[in-house]
Amino acid sequence: MRRNSPATSRFARFLIAAAVAMSGPAPAGEVASRDGARIVYDVQGAGPALVFVHGWTCRRDYWSGQVRDLAVDHRVVTIDLAGHGESGRGSRTDWAMEAFGADVVAVVEQLGLDRVVLVGHSMGGPVILEAARKLKGRVAGLVLVDTYKQLDKPRTPEQVAAAVAPFRENFREQTKARVRTMFTPAMNRETVEMVANQMSSASPDMALPAMHATISYEAQAAATLRELNVPVHAINAGSPPTDVASLQRNGVKVVMIPDTGHFPMLEKPEAFNRALREAVADLSRLKRE
């Protein structure tokens, strides 16, 4: 019999509470992105700033387990990218990583953050790379959360198109099926289904081009890392495997969270938070040197 861990059960309850809360009090803040899209964000705690960016078709509350821990001694900012969560779409038709990066920049500038660590999960990885290009001198470092398994062999345009094609046929059911494979069998099934249902409820006219843009960004990720010249950590899930040497060749320091799928911050929040704290401490030290 599969047992549900207390951590995953807590997250399932949190998602339920978050869904209810979204129709209640106003969030901590909002700002217009460069194209006018309304970007919603939350801020908790005080201290060095950490800005968290969710993945494809996800929401800012996926970082709830990190906010509770890190806000003790950090200023923690969580963002809903345009077209996600509570953020609006405005007139946006451009769902490229550069456009999402502008959402992050708008929040950082609104809050007057002079020195930040940007943390991005999955699609949030290339988003923070693009944000960092516009925030040069203000970024202490980057943390990529299960974004890249390798950086030396990006997919070709034909492979990108093939990866997106099944989602064009039946977006909702294909997304649910894919999300279910992104967790280990030990993960609380209630949480898995809640995540699958939430992610598959996204608008396909946003989600499909965003997926295409995310995968296509592989072709420029290594070059962007070289251009930024800021310290980068990767906290990757145990499955599927990571080509650690490939990431290291591109200047990325890698930490693995064993026995986790694509959402290590949900499956093993305590282990993930320890790894994140160590990464943030190292990034801050390297920036000072």
Side-chain angles (χ1 to χ4, degrees):
M1 180 181 295
R2 181 182 292 115
R3 298 181 62 188
N4 296 334
S5 73
T8 55
S9 297
R10 283 197 302 272
F11 183 73
R13 292 194 296 271
F14 180 87
L15 280 184
I16 294 171
V20 173
M22 282 189 174
S23 61
E30 60 181 72
V31 63
S33 193
R34 67 178 186 187
D35 60 1
R38 170 179 169 267
I39 307 302
V40 170
Y41 61 89
D42 286 318
V43 185
Q44 294 190 40
L50 306 177
V51 178
F52 287 82
V53 181
H54 60 73
W56 179 76
T57 71
C58 297
R59 307 185 310 213
R60 70 188 190 279
D61 55 33
Y62 280 41
W63 298 110
S64 62
Q66 288 62 62
V67 172
R68 288 191 296 268
D69 187 328
L70 277 297
V72 172
D73 50 7
H74 289 81
R75 190 177 191 188
V76 178
V77 182
T78 54
I79 298 171
D80 278 343
L81 298 171
H84 294 74
E86 291 185 277
S87 288
R89 302 168 49 121
S91 59
R92 181 172 302 184
T93 57
D94 176 10
W95 302 106
M97 297 302 101
E98 197 268 343
F100 285 127
D103 300 343
V104 178
V105 172
V107 173
V108 170
E109 292 181 341
Q110 167 94 343
L111 293 173
L113 303 178
D114 294 325
R115 186 167 178 271
V116 299
V117 170
L118 303 179
V119 183
H121 171 244
S122 193
M123 183 187 85
V127 170
I128 66 172
L129 292 182
E130 284 299 303
R133 294 176 73 177
K134 295 177 174 56
L135 293 169
K136 287 185 178 179
R138 300 168 72 173
V139 177
L142 306 174
V143 181
L144 307 175
V145 180
D146 212 49
T147 297
Y148 296 115
K149 298 296 187 178
Q150 59 85 28
L151 283 166
D152 294 328
K153 297 178 181 178
R155 278 172 275 192
T156 65
E158 293 75 20
Q159 290 171 322
V160 174
V164 178
F167 294 86
R168 299 189 186 280
E169 296 297 321
N170 188 332
F171 175 79
R172 186 169 179 81
E173 292 308 313
Q174 185 66 30
T175 301
K176 283 184 180 180
R178 182 65 60 86
V179 171
R180 290 171 183 141
T181 70
M182 293 179 172
F183 293 92
T184 64
M187 183 62 171
N188 173 278
R189 291 296 101 182
E190 180 185 10
T191 300
V192 173
E193 289 306 307
M194 292 185 74
V195 172
N197 286 326
Q198 184 273 306
M199 292 178 64
S200 65
S201 68
S203 172
D205 66 350
M206 176 279 293
L208 290 170
M211 174 185 284
H212 192 282
T214 301
I215 303 172
S216 298
Y217 199 89
E218 293 174 358
Q220 67 186 85
T224 302
L225 287 169
R226 289 192 296 271
E227 173 194 336
L228 292 173
N229 192 31
V230 298
V232 182
H233 278 238
I235 303 178
N236 275 14
S239 178
T242 295
D243 183 346
V244 175
S246 171
L247 270 66
Q248 290 176 335
R249 281 194 294 272
N250 287 279
V252 180
K253 187 173 182 178
V254 183
V255 174
M256 306 297 301
I257 308 292
D259 303 317
T260 57
H262 186 52
F263 295 84
M265 69 282 200
L266 302 185
E267 292 211 40
K268 291 192 174 181
E270 292 85 2
F272 178 85
N273 290 354
R274 286 194 297 271
L276 180 57
R277 280 189 171 277
E278 291 172 3
V280 169
D282 189 48
L283 291 170
S284 299
R285 177 183 60 81
L286 291 171
K287 187 64 177 179
R288 289 194 300 270
E289 290 178 350

Coordinates of all heavy atoms in Angstrom, one line a residue, residues 8-86:
T8 N 3.7 15.9 1.6 CA 2.8 15.9 0.4 C 1.4 16.1 0.7 O 0.6 16.8 0.0 CB 3.0 14.7 -0.5 OG1 2.7 13.5 0.3 CG2 4.4 14.6 -1.0
S9 N 0.9 15.6 1.8 CA -0.5 15.8 2.2 C -0.7 17.2 2.6 O -1.8 17.8 2.2 CB -0.8 14.9 3.4 OG -0.7 13.5 3.1
R10 N 0.3 17.9 3.2 CA 0.1 19.3 3.5 C 0.0 20.1 2.3 O -0.7 21.1 2.2 CB 1.3 19.8 4.3 CG 1.3 19.4 5.8 CD 2.3 20.2 6.6 NE 3.6 20.1 6.1 CZ 4.5 19.2 6.5 NH1 4.1 18.2 7.4 NH2 5.7 19.1 6.1
F11 N 0.8 19.7 1.2 CA 0.7 20.5 0.0 C -0.6 20.4 -0.7 O -1.2 21.3 -1.2 CB 1.8 20.1 -1.0 CG 1.8 20.9 -2.2 CD1 2.3 22.2 -2.2 CD2 1.4 20.4 -3.4 CE1 2.3 23.0 -3.4 CE2 1.3 21.2 -4.6 CZ 1.8 22.5 -4.5
A12 N -1.2 19.1 -0.7 CA -2.5 18.9 -1.2 C -3.5 19.8 -0.5 O -4.3 20.5 -1.2 CB -2.9 17.5 -1.1
R13 N -3.4 19.9 0.8 CA -4.4 20.8 1.5 C -4.1 22.3 1.2 O -5.0 23.1 1.1 CB -4.2 20.5 3.0 CG -4.7 19.2 3.5 CD -4.9 19.1 5.0 NE -3.6 19.3 5.7 CZ -2.8 18.3 6.0 NH1 -3.1 17.1 5.7 NH2 -1.7 18.5 6.7
F14 N -2.8 22.6 1.0 CA -2.5 24.0 0.6 C -3.1 24.4 -0.7 O -3.6 25.5 -0.8 CB -1.0 24.2 0.6 CG -0.6 25.6 0.3 CD1 -0.5 26.5 1.3 CD2 -0.4 26.0 -1.0 CE1 -0.1 27.9 1.0 CE2 0.0 27.3 -1.3 CZ 0.1 28.2 -0.3
L15 N -3.0 23.5 -1.7 CA -3.6 23.8 -3.0 C -5.1 24.1 -2.9 O -5.6 24.9 -3.6 CB -3.3 22.7 -4.0 CG -1.9 22.7 -4.6 CD1 -1.8 21.6 -5.6 CD2 -1.5 24.0 -5.2
I16 N -5.8 23.3 -2.1 CA -7.2 23.5 -1.9 C -7.4 24.9 -1.3 O -8.3 25.6 -1.7 CB -7.8 22.4 -1.0 CG1 -7.7 21.0 -1.7 CG2 -9.2 22.7 -0.6 CD1 -8.1 19.9 -0.8
A17 N -6.7 25.2 -0.2 CA -6.8 26.5 0.4 C -6.5 27.6 -0.5 O -7.2 28.7 -0.6 CB -5.9 26.6 1.7
A18 N -5.5 27.4 -1.4 CA -5.1 28.5 -2.3 C -6.1 28.7 -3.3 O -6.4 29.8 -3.7 CB -3.8 28.1 -3.0
A19 N -6.8 27.6 -3.8 CA -7.9 27.8 -4.8 C -9.0 28.6 -4.2 O -9.6 29.5 -4.9 CB -8.4 26.4 -5.2
V20 N -9.3 28.4 -2.9 CA -10.4 29.2 -2.3 C -9.9 30.6 -2.1 O -10.7 31.6 -2.4 CB -10.7 28.5 -0.9 CG1 -11.7 29.4 -0.2 CG2 -11.3 27.2 -1.1
A21 N -8.6 30.8 -1.7 CA -8.1 32.1 -1.4 C -8.1 33.0 -2.6 O -8.2 34.2 -2.5 CB -6.7 32.0 -0.8
M22 N -8.0 32.4 -3.8 CA -7.9 33.2 -5.0 C -9.1 34.1 -5.3 O -9.1 35.0 -6.1 CB -7.5 32.3 -6.2 CG -6.1 32.0 -6.3 SD -5.6 31.1 -7.8 CE -3.9 31.0 -7.6
S23 N -10.2 33.7 -4.7 CA -11.4 34.5 -4.9 C -11.7 35.4 -3.7 O -12.7 36.1 -3.6 CB -12.7 33.5 -5.0 OG -12.8 32.8 -3.8
G24 N -10.7 35.5 -2.8 CA -10.8 36.3 -1.6 C -10.0 37.5 -1.6 O -10.0 38.3 -2.6
P25 N -9.2 37.8 -0.6 CA -8.5 39.0 -0.5 C -7.5 39.3 -1.6 O -7.0 38.3 -2.2 CB -7.7 38.9 0.9 CG -8.4 37.8 1.6 CD -9.0 36.9 0.6
A26 N -7.2 40.5 -1.9 CA -6.2 40.8 -2.9 C -4.8 40.4 -2.6 O -4.5 40.3 -1.4 CB -6.2 42.4 -3.1
P27 N -4.0 40.0 -3.6 CA -2.6 39.6 -3.3 C -1.8 40.7 -2.9 O -2.2 41.9 -2.8 CB -2.2 39.1 -4.7 CG -3.0 39.8 -5.7 CD -4.4 40.0 -5.0
A28 N -0.6 40.4 -2.5 CA 0.3 41.5 -1.9 C 0.6 42.6 -2.9 O 0.7 43.8 -2.5 CB 1.6 40.9 -1.5
G29 N 0.7 42.3 -4.2 CA 1.0 43.4 -5.1 C 0.7 43.0 -6.6 O 0.5 41.8 -6.9
E30 N 0.7 44.0 -7.4 CA 0.6 43.7 -8.9 C 1.2 44.9 -9.6 O 1.4 46.0 -9.1 CB -0.9 43.6 -9.3 CG -1.7 44.8 -9.0 CD -3.2 44.6 -9.4 OE1 -3.9 43.8 -8.7 OE2 -3.6 45.2 -10.4
V31 N 1.7 44.6 -10.8 CA 2.4 45.6 -11.6 C 2.1 45.2 -13.1 O 1.9 44.1 -13.4 CB 3.9 45.5 -11.3 CG1 4.5 44.2 -11.7 CG2 4.6 46.7 -12.0
A32 N 2.1 46.2 -13.9 CA 2.0 46.0 -15.4 C 3.3 45.6 -16.0 O 4.3 46.3 -15.7 CB 1.4 47.3 -16.0
S33 N 3.3 44.6 -16.7 CA 4.5 44.2 -17.5 C 4.7 45.2 -18.6 O 3.9 46.1 -18.8 CB 4.4 42.8 -18.0 OG 5.7 42.3 -18.5
R34 N 5.7 45.1 -19.4 CA 6.0 46.1 -20.4 C 4.9 46.2 -21.5 O 4.7 47.2 -22.1 CB 7.3 45.7 -21.1 CG 7.3 44.4 -21.9 CD 8.6 44.2 -22.6 NE 8.4 43.0 -23.5 CZ 9.4 42.4 -24.2 NH1 10.7 42.9 -24.0 NH2 9.2 41.4 -24.9
D35 N 4.1 45.1 -21.7 CA 3.1 45.1 -22.7 C 1.7 45.3 -22.0 O 0.7 45.2 -22.7 CB 3.0 43.8 -23.5 CG 2.8 42.6 -22.6 OD1 2.7 42.7 -21.4 OD2 2.8 41.4 -23.2
G36 N 1.7 45.7 -20.7 CA 0.5 46.0 -20.1 C -0.2 44.8 -19.3 O -1.2 45.0 -18.6
A37 N 0.3 43.6 -19.5 CA -0.2 42.4 -18.8 C -0.1 42.6 -17.3 O 0.9 43.1 -16.8 CB 0.4 41.2 -19.2
R38 N -1.2 42.3 -16.6 CA -1.2 42.5 -15.1 C -0.5 41.3 -14.4 O -0.9 40.2 -14.6 CB -2.6 42.6 -14.6 CG -2.8 42.6 -13.1 CD -4.3 42.7 -12.8 NE -4.6 42.4 -11.4 CZ -5.0 41.2 -10.9 NH1 -5.0 40.2 -11.8 NH2 -5.2 41.0 -9.7
I39 N 0.6 41.6 -13.7 CA 1.4 40.6 -13.1 C 1.2 40.6 -11.6 O 1.4 41.7 -10.9 CB 2.9 40.7 -13.4 CG1 3.1 40.8 -14.9 CG2 3.7 39.6 -12.8 CD1 2.6 39.6 -15.7
V40 N 0.8 39.5 -11.0 CA 0.5 39.4 -9.6 C 1.6 38.8 -8.9 O 2.3 37.8 -9.4 CB -0.8 38.6 -9.4 CG1 -1.0 38.3 -7.9 CG2 -2.0 39.4 -9.9
Y41 N 2.0 39.3 -7.7 CA 3.1 38.7 -6.9 C 2.8 38.8 -5.4 O 1.9 39.6 -5.0 CB 4.4 39.4 -7.3 CG 4.4 40.9 -6.9 CD1 4.8 41.3 -5.7 CD2 4.0 41.8 -7.9 CE1 4.8 42.7 -5.4 CE2 4.0 43.2 -7.6 CZ 4.4 43.6 -6.3 OH 4.4 44.9 -6.0
D42 N 3.5 38.0 -4.7 CA 3.4 38.0 -3.2 C 4.8 38.3 -2.7 O 5.8 37.9 -3.3 CB 2.9 36.7 -2.6 CG 1.4 36.5 -2.8 OD1 0.7 37.5 -2.6 OD2 1.0 35.4 -3.2
V43 N 4.9 38.9 -1.5 CA 6.1 39.2 -0.8 C 6.0 38.8 0.6 O 5.0 39.2 1.3 CB 6.5 40.7 -0.9 CG1 7.9 40.9 -0.3 CG2 6.5 41.2 -2.4
Q44 N 7.0 38.1 1.1 CA 7.0 37.7 2.6 C 8.4 37.8 3.1 O 9.3 37.6 2.4 CB 6.4 36.3 2.8 CG 4.9 36.2 2.5 CD 4.3 34.9 3.0 OE1 4.7 34.4 4.0 NE2 3.5 34.3 2.1
G45 N 8.5 38.1 4.4 CA 9.8 38.1 5.0 C 10.6 39.3 4.8 O 10.2 40.3 4.0
A46 N 11.8 39.3 5.3 CA 12.8 40.5 5.2 C 14.2 39.9 5.1 O 14.5 38.9 5.7 CB 12.6 41.5 6.3
G47 N 15.1 40.6 4.4 CA 16.4 40.1 4.2 C 16.8 40.1 2.8 O 16.1 40.7 1.9
P48 N 17.9 39.4 2.4 CA 18.3 39.2 1.0 C 17.2 38.7 0.2 O 16.4 37.8 0.6 CB 19.5 38.2 1.1 CG 20.0 38.4 2.5 CD 18.8 38.6 3.4
A49 N 17.0 39.2 -1.0 CA 15.8 38.9 -1.8 C 16.0 37.7 -2.7 O 17.0 37.5 -3.3 CB 15.5 40.1 -2.7
L50 N 15.0 36.8 -2.6 CA 14.9 35.7 -3.5 C 13.6 35.8 -4.3 O 12.5 36.0 -3.7 CB 14.8 34.4 -2.6 CG 15.9 34.1 -1.6 CD1 15.6 32.8 -0.9 CD2 17.2 34.0 -2.3
V51 N 13.7 35.7 -5.6 CA 12.5 35.8 -6.5 C 12.3 34.4 -7.1 O 13.1 33.9 -7.8 CB 12.7 36.9 -7.6 CG1 11.5 36.9 -8.5 CG2 13.0 38.2 -6.9
F52 N 11.1 33.8 -6.9 CA 10.8 32.5 -7.3 C 9.8 32.6 -8.6 O 8.8 33.3 -8.5 CB 10.1 31.7 -6.2 CG 10.9 31.3 -5.1 CD1 11.3 32.2 -4.1 CD2 11.5 30.0 -5.1 CE1 12.1 31.8 -3.0 CE2 12.3 29.6 -4.1 CZ 12.6 30.5 -3.0
V53 N 10.2 31.8 -9.6 CA 9.4 31.8 -10.8 C 9.0 30.4 -11.1 O 9.8 29.5 -11.2 CB 10.2 32.4 -12.0 CG1 9.4 32.4 -13.3 CG2 10.7 33.8 -11.7
H54 N 7.7 30.1 -11.3 CA 7.1 28.8 -11.5 C 7.4 28.3 -12.9 O 7.9 29.0 -13.8 CB 5.6 28.8 -11.2 CG 4.9 29.8 -12.1 ND1 4.7 29.5 -13.4 CD2 4.3 31.0 -11.8 CE1 4.0 30.5 -14.0 NE2 3.8 31.5 -13.0
G55 N 7.0 27.1 -13.1 CA 7.2 26.5 -14.4 C 6.0 26.6 -15.3 O 5.0 27.3 -15.0
W56 N 6.0 25.9 -16.5 CA 5.0 25.9 -17.5 C 3.6 25.6 -16.9 O 3.5 24.5 -16.3 CB 5.4 25.0 -18.6 CG 4.4 24.9 -19.7 CD1 4.3 25.7 -20.8 CD2 3.6 23.8 -20.0 NE1 3.3 25.3 -21.6 CE2 2.9 24.1 -21.2 CE3 3.3 22.5 -19.4 CZ2 1.9 23.2 -21.8 CZ3 2.4 21.7 -19.9 CH2 1.7 22.0 -21.1
T57 N 2.6 26.4 -17.1 CA 1.2 26.3 -16.7 C 1.1 26.1 -15.2 O 0.0 25.6 -14.7 CB 0.5 25.1 -17.5 OG1 1.0 23.9 -17.1 CG2 0.7 25.3 -19.0
C58 N 2.1 26.5 -14.4 CA 2.0 26.4 -13.0 C 1.6 27.7 -12.3 O 1.2 28.6 -13.0 CB 3.3 25.8 -12.4 SG 3.7 24.2 -13.0
R59 N 1.8 27.8 -11.0 CA 1.4 29.0 -10.3 C 2.4 29.3 -9.2 O 3.2 28.4 -8.8 CB 0.0 28.9 -9.6 CG -1.1 28.4 -10.5 CD -2.4 28.4 -9.8 NE -2.4 27.7 -8.6 CZ -3.5 27.0 -8.1 NH1 -4.6 27.0 -8.8 NH2 -3.4 26.5 -6.9
R60 N 2.3 30.5 -8.6 CA 3.3 30.9 -7.6 C 3.1 30.1 -6.3 O 4.1 30.0 -5.6 CB 3.2 32.4 -7.3 CG 1.9 32.9 -6.6 CD 1.8 34.4 -6.6 NE 0.8 34.9 -5.8 CZ -0.5 35.1 -6.1 NH1 -0.9 34.6 -7.3 NH2 -1.4 35.6 -5.3
D61 N 1.9 29.6 -6.1 CA 1.7 28.8 -4.8 C 2.4 27.5 -4.8 O 2.5 26.8 -3.8 CB 0.2 28.7 -4.4 CG -0.6 28.1 -5.5 OD1 -0.1 27.2 -6.3 OD2 -1.8 28.4 -5.7
Y62 N 3.0 27.0 -5.9 CA 3.8 25.8 -5.9 C 5.0 26.0 -5.1 O 5.7 25.0 -4.7 CB 4.2 25.4 -7.4 CG 3.1 24.7 -8.1 CD1 1.7 25.2 -8.0 CD2 3.3 23.7 -9.0 CE1 0.7 24.6 -8.7 CE2 2.3 23.1 -9.7 CZ 1.0 23.5 -9.6 OH 0.0 22.9 -10.3
W63 N 5.4 27.2 -4.7 CA 6.6 27.4 -3.9 C 6.2 27.6 -2.4 O 7.0 28.1 -1.6 CB 7.3 28.7 -4.4 CG 7.8 28.7 -5.7 CD1 7.3 29.4 -6.8 CD2 8.9 28.0 -6.2 NE1 8.1 29.2 -7.9 CE2 9.1 28.3 -7.6 CE3 9.8 27.1 -5.6 CZ2 10.1 27.7 -8.4 CZ3 10.8 26.5 -6.4 CH2 11.0 26.9 -7.8
S64 N 5.0 27.2 -2.0 CA 4.5 27.4 -0.6 C 5.5 26.8 0.4 O 5.7 27.5 1.4 CB 3.1 26.9 -0.4 OG 3.1 25.5 -0.6
G65 N 6.0 25.7 0.1 CA 6.9 25.0 1.1 C 8.2 25.7 1.2 O 8.9 25.6 2.2
Q66 N 8.6 26.5 0.2 CA 9.9 27.3 0.3 C 9.6 28.6 0.9 O 10.4 29.1 1.7 CB 10.4 27.5 -1.1 CG 11.0 26.2 -1.8 CD 10.0 25.1 -1.9 OE1 9.0 25.2 -2.7 NE2 10.2 24.0 -1.3
V67 N 8.5 29.2 0.7 CA 8.2 30.5 1.3 C 8.2 30.4 2.8 O 8.8 31.2 3.5 CB 6.8 31.0 0.8 CG1 6.4 32.3 1.5 CG2 6.9 31.3 -0.7
R68 N 7.5 29.4 3.3 CA 7.4 29.2 4.8 C 8.8 29.1 5.4 O 9.0 29.6 6.5 CB 6.6 28.0 5.1 CG 5.1 28.1 4.8 CD 4.3 27.0 5.4 NE 4.7 25.7 4.8 CZ 4.0 25.2 3.8 NH1 3.0 25.9 3.2 NH2 4.4 24.0 3.3
D69 N 9.7 28.4 4.7 CA 11.0 28.2 5.3 C 11.9 29.4 5.0 O 12.5 30.0 6.0 CB 11.6 27.0 4.6 CG 13.0 26.6 5.2 OD1 13.7 27.5 5.6 OD2 13.3 25.4 5.2
L70 N 12.0 29.9 3.8 CA 13.0 30.9 3.5 C 12.6 32.3 4.0 O 13.5 33.2 4.2 CB 13.2 31.0 2.0 CG 14.2 30.0 1.3 CD1 15.6 30.2 1.9 CD2 13.8 28.5 1.5
A71 N 11.3 32.6 4.2 CA 10.9 33.9 4.6 C 11.3 34.2 6.0 O 11.2 35.4 6.4 CB 9.4 34.1 4.4
V72 N 11.8 33.3 6.7 CA 12.3 33.5 8.1 C 13.5 34.5 8.0 O 13.6 35.3 8.9 CB 12.8 32.2 8.7 CG1 13.5 32.4 10.1 CG2 11.6 31.3 8.9
D73 N 14.3 34.4 7.0 CA 15.5 35.3 7.0 C 15.8 35.8 5.6 O 16.9 36.3 5.3 CB 16.7 34.6 7.5 CG 17.0 33.2 6.9 OD1 16.2 32.9 5.9 OD2 17.8 32.5 7.3
H74 N 14.8 35.8 4.7 CA 14.9 36.4 3.3 C 13.6 37.1 3.0 O 12.6 36.8 3.5 CB 15.2 35.3 2.3 CG 16.5 34.7 2.3 ND1 16.9 33.7 3.2 CD2 17.6 34.9 1.6 CE1 18.1 33.3 3.1 NE2 18.6 34.1 2.1
R75 N 13.8 38.0 2.1 CA 12.6 38.6 1.4 C 12.2 37.7 0.3 O 13.0 37.7 -0.7 CB 12.9 40.1 1.0 CG 11.7 40.8 0.5 CD 12.0 42.3 0.2 NE 10.8 43.1 0.0 CZ 10.8 44.3 -0.5 NH1 12.0 44.9 -0.8 NH2 9.7 45.0 -0.6
V76 N 11.1 37.1 0.3 CA 10.8 36.1 -0.6 C 9.6 36.6 -1.5 O 8.6 37.0 -1.0 CB 10.3 34.7 0.0 CG1 9.9 33.7 -1.0 CG2 11.4 34.2 0.9
V77 N 9.9 36.6 -2.8 CA 8.9 37.1 -3.8 C 8.5 35.9 -4.7 O 9.4 35.2 -5.3 CB 9.5 38.2 -4.7 CG1 8.5 38.8 -5.6 CG2 10.1 39.3 -3.8
T78 N 7.2 35.7 -4.8 CA 6.7 34.7 -5.8 C 5.8 35.4 -6.8 O 5.0 36.3 -6.4 CB 5.9 33.6 -5.0 OG1 4.9 34.2 -4.2 CG2 6.8 32.8 -4.1
I79 N 5.9 34.9 -8.0 CA 5.3 35.6 -9.2 C 4.4 34.7 -9.9 O 4.8 33.5 -10.2 CB 6.4 36.2 -10.1 CG1 7.3 37.2 -9.4 CG2 5.7 36.8 -11.3 CD1 8.5 37.6 -10.2
D80 N 3.3 35.1 -10.4 CA 2.5 34.5 -11.4 C 2.8 35.1 -12.7 O 2.6 36.3 -12.9 CB 1.0 34.6 -11.2 CG 0.4 33.6 -10.2 OD1 1.1 32.6 -9.9 OD2 -0.7 33.8 -9.7
L81 N 3.5 34.4 -13.6 CA 3.8 34.9 -14.9 C 2.5 35.2 -15.7 O 1.4 34.7 -15.4 CB 4.6 33.9 -15.7 CG 6.0 33.6 -15.1 CD1 6.6 32.5 -15.9 CD2 6.9 34.8 -15.2
A82 N 2.6 36.1 -16.7 CA 1.4 36.4 -17.5 C 0.7 35.2 -18.0 O 1.3 34.2 -18.5 CB 1.8 37.3 -18.7
G83 N -0.6 35.1 -17.9 CA -1.4 34.0 -18.4 C -1.4 32.8 -17.5 O -2.0 31.8 -17.8
H84 N -0.8 33.0 -16.3 CA -0.8 31.9 -15.3 C -1.4 32.4 -14.0 O -1.3 33.6 -13.6 CB 0.7 31.5 -15.0 CG 1.4 30.9 -16.2 ND1 1.8 31.6 -17.3 CD2 1.7 29.6 -16.4 CE1 2.4 30.7 -18.1 NE2 2.3 29.5 -17.6
G85 N -2.0 31.5 -13.2 CA -2.5 31.9 -11.9 C -3.4 33.0 -11.9 O -4.3 33.1 -12.7
E86 N -3.1 34.0 -11.1 CA -4.0 35.2 -11.0 C -3.5 36.3 -12.0 O -4.2 37.4 -12.1 CB -3.9 35.8 -9.6 CG -4.7 34.9 -8.6 CD -4.7 35.6 -7.2 OE1 -3.7 35.5 -6.5 OE2 -5.8 36.2 -6.9

